[in-house]
Amino acid sequence: MRDFAKFCASHKTFKALHEIKGTQALVREIVGLKTSMSEHGPLQMPDIERKATEFERQGNQMQRLFNRIESGQGGSLESMEVAWSVAS
């Protein structure tokens, strides 16, 4: 989960700097997090499982926001900052 969070933070930064386009790498990381959690099976740690679910949800929100921004349908990186700070 720490690697996923680090990836998301750097992905957002590179996106803001227009260093990367698209969301394919982000989607791969989201799928990787989900796969990793399911490979370990039930962890019997509700807080960790809840946090992993929240990370996945926020990653999906970020991916949808980036897609909206790229397609010109609105949204901004600032709106994502608010959403992530409320959820944390």
Side-chain angles (χ1 to χ4, degrees):
M1 286 186 346
R2 182 180 59 217
D3 292 340
F4 179 76
K6 182 178 176 182
F7 175 85
C8 287
S10 61
H11 189 78
K12 184 184 67 127
T13 301
F14 287 128
K15 194 78 160 159
L17 296 172
H18 305 288
E19 294 290 323
I20 57 172
K21 293 183 187 249
T23 56
Q24 292 175 347
L26 177 57
V27 170
R28 278 193 303 273
E29 288 294 320
I30 294 168
V31 170
L33 174 66
K34 194 173 187 175
T35 301
S36 175
M37 293 305 292
S38 50
E39 283 176 354
H40 288 54
L43 299 174
Q44 303 301 321
M45 293 186 247
D47 291 343
I48 300 295
E49 291 173 351
R50 214 175 2 262
K51 191 55 109 171
T53 300
E54 183 65 20
F55 275 25
E56 181 183 340
R57 185 185 68 74
Q58 290 180 343
N60 285 323
Q61 284 180 336
M62 184 173 16
Q63 186 255 333
R64 286 192 299 272
L65 174 63
F66 286 154
N67 286 341
R68 282 195 308 273
I69 291 170
E70 287 177 3
S71 68
Q73 294 179 2
S76 68
L77 293 176
E78 290 79 24
S79 67
M80 186 175 64
E81 288 291 334
V82 171
W84 277 69
S85 64
V86 169
S88 298

